[in-house]
Amino acid sequence: MSQQTARRGGAAWALVITSVAGFMAALDNLVVTTALPSIREDLGGGLHDLEWTVSAYTLTFAVLLMFGAALGDRFGRRRLFIAGLAVFTGASAAAAMAPGIDSLIAARAIQGVGAAVMMPLTLTLLTAAVPAAKRGMAYGIWGAVNGLAVASGPLVGGTLTEHISWQWIFWLNVPLGLALLPLARLRLAESHGTGAPLDVPGTLLASGGLFGIVYGLVRGPVDGWTGSLVLTGLFAGSALLAGFILYSTRAKNPMLPMRLFRSRAFAGINAASLLMFLGMFGSIFLLSQYMQGVLGYSPTEAGLRMLPWTGMPMLVAPIAGILADRIGGRPVVATGLFLQALGLGYMAVVATTDASYASQLPALIVSGIGMALYFAPASHLVMSSVRPSEQGIASGANNALREVGGALGIAVMASIFAAQGGYETGQTFVDGMRPALVTGSAVVALAGVAALLIPTRRHTERQEDPAEPAPVLETAAH
């Protein structure tokens, strides 16, 4: 079944609903990190338990993203979006009321399930509601809000924990979710994918493979990369994903058609997204600790000083979306990634135990502009590289790769940091952070190279043959 064209509330309502929902899901990736000391004081638990309050969400979120998108395509995107939002909101309330560390971890895992169903469908629903000529600006605003959520997670978590209580990092989601549920029911139009039956073998292979890999990446820096469970997760996960790829090349109705990766646009933007999140997540993870543990800022003070980076998407991303409509997404995305790489490299150079804020400010501004230029056009490139009926699974695949990139980034950065430095003194922290940031800069620069491989054809008017593969070239709308 093709997408329905009926609209209930228009593009504006769709933009508000999907942006706020995306903000909630993206924020919960890192919002807990600055609250861990307070959670330990209230609920107890060892270091292993506290790490699982972060990892439980990352695992279920990353593993089920493609499955959530496939469910939406099969049973209705609006219907599953509402279901995912309801699960996420309820689990947020359960996390806020958790009487112990085990129940908090369980609530975080359920939060991830709801987010995995909700998040990939935000882009699909937004695309269905916005006319093609205006999607660049819409993606720009959506990308700005999501980018702000990812980057400001430590600030929001630290501020709420410092001035109210750690429970409010979860209570924050509840009124937002309760407000969005009726709006989504009344203002979003229903749409479906191809109507093909669910791909059960593909779902099991992909979910199992992602679980093994993400588990290994999350636990590697903590349990050691030679630990039996870590190695089992990495090798078994890789084997299952290889099986998923082989199966998907032969299946009649695969969950993720491998032919999509024959499109240079789809393959290029997904490679760039994975590498971007690898470099950015790991860098934010270390920089937020650097500002607090080395420079002596409180969580709120550190967050405020990072605003030139984390807040820049709100200013620049809508402009980036307009530029993508006019000149195409490839040059905008590539420019943003190279600027992000430049900013991270500059930060590595100026980082000392007593670095002034003025010396860090240029790096923060350049990184913020770069991140803003990436987010909006990247979403546009993903959605325009496939048929409308395949946009749900394309969004799910892109989000899954971003999450794997983020988990890999924290694992890689933590390993480099631990090998070159540590938490003993401010100087040992800087000694470990510098090579990690250089690595992050190089990885994001490689993402820029991947973005340059995306083909461009402006003002293309291509009539799709349903028997042919999905569009392989980016189009810039008038």
Side-chain angles (χ1 to χ4, degrees):
M1 184 190 305
S2 63
Q3 281 182 306
Q4 296 177 7
T5 58
R7 289 180 171 79
R8 293 191 171 203
W13 276 113
L15 180 58
V16 170
I17 294 167
T18 58
S19 294
V20 174
F23 179 90
M24 293 163 61
L27 181 70
D28 273 57
N29 262 311
L30 293 175
V31 73
V32 178
T33 54
T34 47
L36 291 179
S38 297
I39 293 174
R40 180 177 57 201
E41 184 178 340
D42 278 2
L43 302 183
L47 180 62
H48 180 80
D49 296 315
L50 293 175
E51 288 158 351
W52 271 111
T53 64
V54 179
S55 302
Y57 182 85
T58 303
L59 270 173
T60 53
F61 188 24
V63 166
L64 297 174
L65 273 163
M66 284 197 291
F67 182 51
L71 286 175
D73 285 350
R74 179 68 179 87
F75 298 109
R77 291 159 178 164
R78 185 189 66 190
R79 178 182 300 169
L80 266 294
F81 172 81
I82 291 172
L85 178 59
V87 170
F88 182 85
T89 303
S92 297
M97 297 185 292
I101 193 70
D102 291 337
S103 55
L104 176 60
I105 292 171
R108 287 284 288 164
I110 298 172
Q111 265 193 312
V113 173
V117 176
M118 173 179 70
M119 186 65 174
L121 299 177
T122 58
L123 263 183
T124 320
L125 291 165
L126 182 61
T127 301
V130 178
K134 297 182 179 179
R135 284 176 188 160
M137 180 183 293
Y139 291 145
I141 297 171
W142 182 92
V145 173
N146 280 267
L148 178 64
V150 170
S152 64
L155 167 62
V156 174
T159 301
L160 291 173
T161 301
E162 183 179 344
H163 296 292
I164 308 178
S165 72
W166 66 264
Q167 285 89 347
W168 277 92
I169 64 179
F170 302 115
W171 281 127
L172 177 66
N173 293 323
V174 176
L176 292 175
L178 291 176
L180 288 183
L181 284 168
L183 287 176
R185 179 68 180 85
L186 296 172
R187 298 294 183 178
L188 293 178
E190 185 61 279
S191 63
H192 295 77
T194 60
L198 280 179
D199 178 14
V200 176
T203 298
L204 294 175
L205 287 169
S207 299
L210 286 173
F211 179 86
I213 289 176
V214 176
Y215 177 88
L217 294 176
V218 167
R219 303 308 306 171
V222 181
D223 299 338
W225 292 104
T226 57
S228 58
L229 287 178
V230 171
L231 289 176
T232 299
L234 292 174
F235 283 114
S238 299
L240 287 172
L241 281 186
F244 170 70
I245 293 171
L246 182 62
Y247 164 81
S248 298
T249 60
R250 303 177 178 180
K252 182 178 180 181
N253 295 300
M255 180 175 68
L256 178 62
M258 288 296 111
R259 60 177 172 75
L260 295 181
F261 289 95
R262 295 203 299 266
S263 159
R264 281 174 53 198
F266 186 78
I269 192 56
N270 277 289
S273 295
L274 185 147
L275 294 170
M276 161 66 175
F277 271 67
L278 194 160
M280 185 187 70
F281 256 66
S283 300
I284 290 175
F285 178 73
L286 289 176
L287 284 171
S288 62
Q289 296 181 70
Y290 165 70
M291 286 195 165
Q292 296 175 58
V294 178
L295 299 183
Y297 299 127
S298 71
T300 304
E301 290 170 339
L304 290 173
R305 282 165 174 78
M306 291 182 73
L307 273 179
W309 182 9
T310 61
M312 194 63 70
M314 295 300 293
L315 301 176
V316 178
I319 300 173
I322 296 172
L323 285 174
D325 280 340
R326 294 185 177 180
I327 67 174
R330 182 184 71 167
V332 182
V333 166
T335 300
L337 291 170
F338 288 128
L339 285 176
Q340 178 78 83
L342 178 63
L344 292 177
Y346 187 92
M347 180 63 76
V349 171
V350 302
T352 62
T353 56
D354 58 352
S356 68
Y357 183 60
S359 68
Q360 303 169 57
L361 191 57
L364 295 171
I365 292 174
V366 170
S367 294
I369 294 173
M371 185 168 65
L373 290 177
Y374 160 82
F375 269 111
S379 301
H380 201 168
L381 286 169
V382 170
M383 303 305 278
S384 64
S385 65
V386 299
R387 296 191 190 104
S389 61
E390 296 168 329
Q391 286 173 341
I393 196 59
S395 175
N398 183 253
N399 277 281
L401 287 171
R402 289 182 178 189
E403 289 301 309
V404 171
L408 180 60
I410 292 176
V412 169
M413 299 295 191
S415 297
I416 295 172
F417 171 82
Q420 301 296 321
Y423 290 95
E424 292 80 10
T425 66
Q427 188 58 54
T428 58
F429 190 97
V430 171
D431 290 342
M433 185 182 72
R434 277 179 167 170
L437 289 182
V438 170
T439 302
S441 174
V443 169
V444 177
L446 186 60
V449 174
L452 289 177
L453 299 178
I454 299 170
T456 302
R457 177 182 294 172
R458 298 190 61 197
H459 310 305
T460 300
E461 295 181 0
R462 180 180 182 271
Q463 296 296 325
E464 292 184 35
D465 181 350
E468 293 181 358
V472 299
L473 298 177
E474 169 202 351
T475 56
H478 292 280

